[in-house]
Amino acid sequence: VGPPSDELRAVFAVFGEMRASGVSPDRAAFNALVHACAREGDVPRAEGAFGEMVAAGIGPDAISYTCLLKACAVAGDHVRAERIWVEMQQRTNHYSTYTPPTPHSYAHLMAVQRRAGNASRTLQLLEELRASGLTPSTVHYSLALRACEQHRELPNSLQRALTLYSQMRAQGLRLDSRGLLAATRLCDAHGRPDLSARLRQERSMDLPFGGAGKQRRSGGNS
C-alpha cells in the first residue's frame, strides 16, 4: 500500500484525534472514514477501516458495504467488488446478518464490471436490481447502455439497447450524456444513423422514444 494522499492523511489524523480525546467512533464516523478511502480508490485502507469498525463491535450497514464497493469501482477492482457483494448478502456471515444492496450498491458494482469489460454481468445486475424491487435510475440505465455498446458486434446488442432505452423513457427518465453517446455509437455501428439522429433529437426535446406529444421532464441528471 502506497502512502495516503494529503487529504486522506488529514482524515485519518482527525480520526486519531477523536480517539485520543476519548471519543469512541460510531458507525457514522467509521463509514465516513471508509468513504474517504473510497473516494481515493484506496481499497486496502477502506477495508482496514471497515475491519476496525467490526473489531470495535459495530456491525456494518448498507452504507459501509456501499463505500467498499465504491472503493473497488474507483480502483477498477471487479474481483474484490464481487467478493464484497457476496459477503454483504450472506445471511450468516461473521460480520452481520443479511444486508440488502441499495441502488447505489448496484451502481458501483455495475460501474466496476462495465469498466472491466464484463458487459453481461453489468446487464445481469440491472435485472437483479429490478427483481429485488428497486427502481433503476438514469445512472443504472446509462451503465447498461454503455455495456451494450461494448459488445456492439453482437447481433442483438442494438435491440437490447433500444429496449433499455424504452424502459428508461417509460419511467420518465432522460438519457445522460454518456448513455446518449453509447446509444448513438451503437446505432451508427449497426448502420442505423436514422435511429442515432432520432435519439439525439428526442433527448434535446426531452420526449419519450418513439412518440410525439407534450414535453416530459426527467427525474435523472444529464
Side-chain angles (χ1 to χ4, degrees), residues 143-202:
L143 288 165
L145 286 168
R146 290 156 68 191
C148 289
E149 198 262 335
Q150 280 180 305
H151 282 282
R152 64 177 72 177
E153 75 281 359
L154 297 178
N156 66 338
S157 58
L158 178 58
Q159 186 55 52
R160 183 72 180 271
L162 293 177
T163 298
L164 289 169
Y165 181 62
S166 296
Q167 292 170 346
M168 184 186 76
R169 301 305 293 167
Q171 287 182 221
L173 301 177
R174 181 173 181 260
L175 272 175
D176 64 10
S177 298
R178 287 179 292 184
L180 176 64
L181 181 60
T184 53
R185 281 177 174 173
L186 188 57
C187 290
D188 292 339
H190 282 264
R192 295 298 306 272
D194 56 318
L195 282 178
S196 180
R198 190 173 180 179
L199 291 176
R200 290 192 180 92
Q201 181 182 29
E202 288 174 354

Side-chain angles (χ1 to χ4, degrees), residues 24-197:
S24 298
D26 58 9
R27 182 185 291 111
F30 275 111
N31 281 347
L33 184 60
V34 177
H35 187 254
C37 298
R39 288 200 307 268
E40 304 275 334
D42 194 332
V43 179
R45 287 190 173 88
E47 289 192 320
F50 184 96
E52 284 188 43
M53 176 174 65
V54 173
I58 302 173
D61 59 8
I63 295 174
S64 314
Y65 282 108
T66 299
C67 288
L68 284 183
L69 290 169
K70 179 177 181 177
C72 294
V74 174
D77 192 340
H78 69 285
V79 174
R80 195 172 302 193
E82 283 289 349
R83 178 178 59 75
I84 292 167
W85 183 257
V86 171
E87 179 183 288
M88 75 180 289
Q89 296 181 78
Q90 289 178 347
R91 295 183 181 273
T92 55
N93 61 39
H94 61 284
Y95 288 129
S96 64
T97 55
Y98 174 71
T99 304
T102 67
H104 288 297
S105 307
Y106 276 101
H108 290 314
L109 187 57
M110 288 176 69
V112 72
Q113 290 292 3
R114 189 208 65 81
R115 180 177 171 185
N118 298 326
S120 59
R121 177 59 174 148
T122 305
L123 295 169
Q124 179 187 34
L125 284 164
L126 178 62
E127 295 307 314
E128 290 180 9
L129 183 151
R130 283 202 190 94
S132 71
L134 298 173
T135 301
S137 70
T138 298
V139 171
H140 300 104
Y141 281 114
S142 179
L143 288 165
L145 286 168
R146 290 156 68 191
C148 289
E149 198 262 335
Q150 280 180 305
H151 282 282
R152 64 177 72 177
E153 75 281 359
L154 297 178
N156 66 338
S157 58
L158 178 58
Q159 186 55 52
R160 183 72 180 271
L162 293 177
T163 298
L164 289 169
Y165 181 62
S166 296
Q167 292 170 346
M168 184 186 76
R169 301 305 293 167
Q171 287 182 221
L173 301 177
R174 181 173 181 260
L175 272 175
D176 64 10
S177 298
R178 287 179 292 184
L180 176 64
L181 181 60
T184 53
R185 281 177 174 173
L186 188 57
C187 290
D188 292 339
H190 282 264
R192 295 298 306 272
D194 56 318
L195 282 178
S196 180

Side-chain angles (χ1 to χ4, degrees), residues 205-208 210-216:
M205 297 175 65
D206 204 19
L207 287 172
K214 65 180 182 180
Q215 186 170 345
R216 179 183 239 169

